[in-house]
Amino acid sequence: MILNKKGIGYVDWIISMGLFIVVVSMTFIFLKPGVTAEFESKDLLEIVESNFLEEYTWSSISIPIAVHKLNQAGIVSKIEITENTGNQWDVKSYHSKHTTFAVTTNTQTNTATITCSPEGGICNTLPGSNAEQGIYLVYLKKAGATSDTFDLNYNCSPSPTNPQDCNFTVGSKEMFTGWNKGDIDALNNPYQTKKAEWSFPESRDFSIKFNGNEILAPNYKPSEQTNIYIKELLIQTLDDDGSRSSANTTISVW
């Protein structure tokens, strides 16, 4: 009996060709040679914004103190504000429109004192026509702080015989976050370094302008045909004495 092997050869060829087509198709599907990954513009803006905020903002805490009565008759008493163990904030400044008080801050010992001005009188912070109701102490986080612990001690020194002669109230703390202008000014445009550290896609670019000055940007400008997406950040600058100033910050991605 003679078998016809010609049909078997066709079957083998069809199977081989089918496997070849499947392998090539799978290669194009999974590897996609020559195809660049797409990135949403809003996601790219978020990458730049979140990293820039994390690295170049810092916070201050403002503590209001309302003095109901500070009687220095016969003895110069004062309100002392000192830090407790573990406190991670330094006193930097104060602001008050009360001319009947003298406020002294010592950045070396991290203490603040409040006395009557002139000494020997009786003073309070009862609201007047042009006065704020309180004395505001401003604190900034210590260099190398390891936590957000804010722990202060408030007392009268020396302790008065009559408690009403040194009567004050400490209000709720207010935290403010703003740009650290000193760190921003020291940037010197390390664009490629930041692009890598922030895991920004190599095929895309971004720029950051601070008060009109380009502080992070590639060494070329995008073409006129390039779609540029822009976001403005409404955040103030926080200076090293706790004062605030306006700032114009713009992020662009393309």
Side-chain angles (χ1 to χ4, degrees), residues 57-132:
T57 57
W58 58 350
S59 298
S60 69
I61 288 178
S62 179
I63 293 292
I65 299 177
V67 181
H68 308 296
K69 182 181 180 182
L70 184 58
N71 186 356
Q72 295 184 321
I75 186 170
V76 179
S77 60
K78 59 186 176 182
I79 300 171
E80 287 188 329
I81 300 93
T82 57
E83 65 173 333
N84 288 322
T85 302
N87 178 59
Q88 299 291 306
W89 300 76
D90 285 331
V91 63
K92 289 297 182 181
S93 62
Y94 73 93
H95 59 92
S96 172
K97 293 183 179 179
H98 294 282
T99 58
T100 56
F101 284 92
V103 182
T104 304
T105 59
N106 188 324
T107 56
Q108 300 298 318
T109 60
N110 201 26
T111 60
T113 59
I114 300 173
T115 58
C116 291
S117 179
E119 294 181 350
I122 299 175
C123 50
N124 59 52
T125 57
L126 294 177
S129 58
N130 297 312
E132 297 173 343

Side-chain angles (χ1 to χ4, degrees), residues 45 60 63-64 68 77 210 218 220 223 237:
L45 286 168
S60 69
I63 293 292
H68 308 296
S77 60
F210 184 76
Y220 66 90
S223 67
T237 296

